[in-house]
Every structure is written in C-alpha cells, then in structure tokens.
Amino acid sequence: MTTRTSASADVRASTTAPESRATFTSHLGVIAATLGSAIGLGNIWKFPSLTGTNGGAAFLITYLFATLLVGLPVMIAEISIGRTIRADPITGLRRLAPRQVWWVIGAMGIVSSFLIMAFYTEVVGWVLAFIVAAATGQLQTTSPETLGAHFAQQIGDPAQSILWQWVVLAIVSGIIAFGVTKGIEATTKRLLPILFGLLVLIGIRSLMLPGAGQGLAFLFVPDFSKVTPAVILAALGLAFFKLSLGMGAMMTYGSYFRNDQNIPGTATRVMLADLLVSLLAGVAIFPAVFSFGFEPQAGPALLFITLPAVFAAIPFGQVLLVLFFVLAAIAAVGAMLSMIEVPITSLMGMLGWDRRRATVATLVGLVLFGAPAALSNSVLANAKLFGKTPFDLYDFLTSNLLLPLGGLLICVFVGWFWGLDQFAAALGNPPGQPSALTKALFVLLRFVSPILLVIVLINGLIPA
Ligand code: PHE
C-alpha cells in the first residue's frame, strides 16, 4: 500500500510542473541520501586496494588534491544543474538548452549507470556470499592459499554468481520502489549511523594489535617518490567514482534538493564525511594487514583474501569479519540506490511511466546487463574484448571513459555555456552578486578541472 501511494506521488511529481517533483524532506535527509550515494564499495573495496597498490600515504594525498580540485567543484556543479532543472537529466537538459546536445550527458549517464551496476552488484553479491561464509566459519583460516581458493571458487561458480547478483538487485529495487522519501531518504538515514559505528569498532580493534603503527605509517607518512603519472590518474579516477560524479546520479539527487539547501556546504560536508569513511576503512584494514605481516599490495584481493586471513588470527575475529562484510553491504546499498535512480527517473520523466513500471523495466535491463559481468570469472572468462572480460570492460569503460567524459561535459556546460551569472543563480546567490566562493568555484570549473579531466581521459584511453 505504501508503495502504491508513494509511487503515485512520484508520478505526479515527474509529470506535472517542476515545483511538485518529490524532494528530500529535511536537511539531514539530503545529507543522508547524498552521503549514502558517495559512500560505498569505493571506500571499502576500491580505496584500500588502490591505496595499497599505489604506495599508501602518497596516494592518499594525491587523491585529496584530486578531490579538492576536481571532485568537489564537479559535485557542486552537478547538483546545482540538478536543482535548476528539477527533472531527470535528459528531460531537464533538453529544457535548459533546447536544440543543443547537452542532454547526451543524461544519455551517457544511463549507460554508465547500467554498466556500473552490472559489476557493482556482482561485487556486492560476493560480499553477501562472504557474510554467509564468514558466519558459518568457512573463512576461519590464516592461510592465504586456502582463502584464495575459496574466493576463486566463489567467483568461478556461474549459478552462484548470478543468484547472488539477483538477490542484490531484488533488495535494491525493493527499496527504490518506495520512492525518493520513503525509499532512498529513509533507508540511508537508518543505515549510515550503523555503518559509522561498525567502522569505528573495527578500527579500534585493529589499532590495538601489536605493530599497528606500521600500518598507520603506511597510510599517513608519505613517500612522494611513489607519485607517478599512473598514481595521479588512479587518484583522479577514484575521486570521481567516490563522489558518484559524471553519470547523472548527483544531478538526479540535486533535483530532489530543497531550494534552501546550501549546495557548496552540503557537498563539502558529504565530501569530508566520505573521506572520513575511507580513512576509517584504511585504519581498520592496514594496521591489521601489517600486524600479521601481509602485503598491502594485494589489490582487490585485499578485502576477500587478506582480510579474512587477518581476522582469523584475532580474538573475536570471526564476529568482526562478519560485521565487516555486513558493513560493506550496507555501504553499497545507498550507492546502488543512486545509480539505479538515474534510469528510473529518466523512464518516469521521458515516458511518463510510474515508479513501479520504471523500476521493473530497469530491473529487467540490469538482469540482462549484469549477467555477463556475473559470468566473467566462469563461463565468459575467455570472452574477452580488448583483452578484458565483461566485468573488467564495464569497470574500465565507466571509470576511464564515461565518468570523466560526463564530468568534463558538466564543467564545459557550467564554465562555458551557462556562465558565472547562471551558475551563481543556481547556487542561490543574490542576482548580480556572485559570492567569492562562487567565483572561485567557477574558475575551477572553467579552467582547472576540465584540463585535469582531459589529461585523465587521454591517459585512460591509452592502453597501459
Ligand atoms: N560512490 C560510490 C562508491 O564509492 C559508487 C558510485 C559511482 C555510486 C557512481 C553512484 C554513481 O561506491
């Protein structure tokens, strides 16, 4: 019944005047939803593995610069466009710039959303499977070989991979069917405090281990000789993925922002809180890894092989490991809600569908798109295009091409098409009086971020 009520409210919101589009109901709700989108496997899976493979603290600092110079300005730009259009990205950009092609930002976003969801849901599927494995004691061994074999078997089983992906899709679409307020806002508000609590708990436990200082030094004492162009690129890519930029997710959430919401303030808070979660994940993982003499360079295996080995050696490690995977799953929910909302709101806005129909159609699309990613380590392990399995290809296409390109177009749109006055108006500055902050952001968006993004794009396209 609730579903029906909120679904019809959303239909009204999307088909009538822009003012009646659903919005987040409180400042806290806005922060929760936006932060919920930013926080995800990016913090718990990508951040530690990239930090581990790219030299620790030096990578962290590079990533900080990328976030400040590119991430934050693009995030503010994307949200401000969203709040101005108060529609799905395609419909809104068409209205804002008739007879021009800026709507491709929205179209590309839908493609990105499907591609990211396809591999993201698969990784969340592994996380769910690992919750079960950890809870039933299957991961209670300190042998990386045994754990490696377990992981290989898990991702190499086609039926299991598909089924876990469907479980994830079912959960996410179940939540999103409740709509913007009762689905997205209510869920993220409840889950985020649990997430912070769990992370702090595991972090404290990890810090109490003998030799924890080495892990902290790895994370916080930089060795700048480690900063190579490749490291800078990885940091820029992560900054983008982390803040959910360049695919219309933040634009869509911006369209639910209240008019009195301070966009730069909100974006900055979200950026800082997201960073805090990444740092907490680092503090939870690296001291433990060093304490037990493991290598921090394990990459993606860090979460699924190294970490279980580390936890197996700690008192109460099994409970903590279960908690850690639960936490990863919780973090992923808000991120997936924002990804899936992009095609859903677009279908509602462009075809006039109700939320339920749009959700079902998107779900069918995701089952189809997701299957190749799910089968990438089994049936389709040899079905490679450009030397990449579908899973890797989806990841590569989005992080190295579509997201930076989307971000670049957003910078060019605001910096060169919209101009300072419109941007200032979108941020709620008084007419004709752009604030100093707005001006500084505008300079970043017009010159600095696009140049950096072009560098990312060019390098991302050159095969390593
Ligand atoms: N920011 C999310 C994370 O860190 C991923 C994401 C990317 C979400 C793009 C939405 C859009 O996991």
Side-chain angles (χ1 to χ4, degrees):
M1 192 59 219
T2 340
T3 319
R4 214 163 281 158
T5 326
S6 73
S8 57
D10 280 336
V11 173
R12 255 182 283 126
S14 66
T15 49
T16 53
E19 294 75 53
S20 62
R21 185 174 175 81
T23 53
F24 297 127
T25 51
S26 65
H27 293 295
L28 190 68
V30 175
I31 302 246
T34 314
L35 187 56
S37 165
I39 294 175
L41 295 180
N43 308 71
I44 293 169
W45 181 52
K46 277 203 176 202
F47 173 79
S49 77
L50 284 172
T51 305
T53 47
N54 290 296
F59 176 80
L60 175 60
I61 290 175
T62 316
Y63 165 67
L64 279 180
F65 273 104
T67 301
L68 287 177
L69 291 179
V70 185
L72 192 58
V74 170
M75 184 172 184
I76 293 169
E78 211 182 312
I79 294 176
S80 69
I81 297 174
R83 188 171 67 183
T84 304
I85 60 185
R86 287 244 182 266
D88 67 274
I90 297 186
T91 308
L93 286 165
R94 266 204 188 129
R95 215 187 281 146
L96 202 57
R99 289 182 301 282
Q100 299 197 26
V101 291
W102 295 106
W103 58 267
V104 297
I105 299 176
M108 278 168 35
I110 295 181
V111 176
S112 300
S113 152
F114 275 97
L115 294 178
I116 299 181
M117 272 300 277
F119 71 84
Y120 207 92
T121 48
E122 187 49 28
V123 180
V124 182
W126 300 342
V127 170
L128 295 187
F130 268 63
I131 294 177
V132 177
T136 52
Q138 294 173 55
L139 305 177
Q140 278 299 89
T141 164
T142 49
S143 146
E145 290 78 29
T146 315
L147 290 163
H150 181 94
F151 183 53
Q153 190 235 328
Q154 171 68 45
I155 66 176
D157 182 330
Q160 273 219 39
S161 301
I162 292 271
L163 279 177
W164 279 115
Q165 186 176 51
W166 287 357
V167 171
V168 175
L169 286 173
I171 295 172
V172 178
S173 20
I175 297 174
I176 205 94
F178 283 92
V180 172
T181 312
K182 296 206 180 86
I184 299 172
E185 185 177 339
T187 306
T188 48
K189 244 198 243 172
R190 271 182 212 128
L191 291 185
L192 281 172
I194 306 180
L195 178 96
F196 273 100
L198 284 178
L199 260 184
V200 169
L201 187 78
I202 297 175
I204 292 174
R205 183 67 194 85
S206 187
L207 283 177
M208 279 159 36
L209 293 167
Q214 242 184 309
L216 286 184
F218 177 76
L219 192 57
F220 294 116
V221 183
D223 166 4
F224 285 111
S225 68
K226 297 249 168 70
V227 182
T228 62
V231 168
I232 298 177
L233 293 182
L236 268 165
L238 180 66
F240 242 64
F241 187 86
K242 269 308 320 111
L243 294 175
S244 316
L245 304 175
M247 60 157 275
M250 282 299 162
M251 205 182 287
T252 300
Y253 275 22
S255 76
Y256 305 135
F257 266 48
R258 294 146 43 114
N259 283 331
D260 58 355
Q261 190 83 20
N262 177 330
I263 294 176
T266 306
T268 306
R269 278 192 199 105
V270 167
M271 183 273 286
L272 289 174
D274 175 70
L275 186 66
L276 179 67
V277 172
S278 292
L279 291 178
L280 284 174
V283 167
I285 291 173
F286 289 111
V289 168
F290 276 87
S291 175
F292 289 92
F294 284 98
E295 289 295 317
Q297 288 97 344
L302 197 60
L303 193 57
F304 295 104
I305 299 173
T306 311
L307 208 65
V310 165
F311 278 114
I314 311 180
F316 305 112
Q318 189 182 356
V319 180
L320 287 178
L321 187 63
V322 174
L323 284 181
F324 194 86
F325 284 124
V326 168
L327 172 140
I330 289 176
V333 169
M336 291 189 291
L337 288 177
S338 70
M339 281 180 231
I340 198 178
E341 181 66 6
V342 174
I344 290 177
T345 190
S346 301
L347 286 171
M348 288 166 61
M350 291 189 308
L351 305 179
W353 288 6
D354 64 18
R355 177 166 285 271
R356 230 199 281 168
R357 191 162 169 198
T359 304
V360 171
T362 302
L363 190 60
V364 171
L366 286 170
V367 164
L368 297 176
F369 263 85
L375 299 175
S376 281
N377 293 294
S378 50
V379 187
L380 297 179
N382 293 316
K384 292 189 178 167
L385 202 60
F386 308 115
K388 293 185 192 315
T389 61
F391 183 102
D392 293 333
L393 192 67
Y394 289 0
D395 191 0
F396 176 86
L397 275 180
T398 46
S399 293
N400 293 352
L401 183 67
L402 289 168
L403 299 188
L405 195 59
L408 178 62
L409 290 176
I410 286 166
C411 291
V412 175
F413 179 83
V414 170
W416 299 90
F417 173 79
W418 237 10
L420 180 59
D421 290 345
Q422 303 248 34
F423 180 54
L427 290 181
N429 291 175
Q433 295 169 308
S435 70
L437 174 70
T438 304
K439 285 186 199 151
L441 282 169
F442 187 72
V443 170
L444 283 175
L445 286 166
R446 192 168 155 100
F447 301 108
V448 182
S449 318
I451 291 172
L452 289 173
L453 277 167
V454 167
I455 299 173
V456 182
L457 260 173
I458 291 172
N459 284 279
L461 290 177
I462 297 170

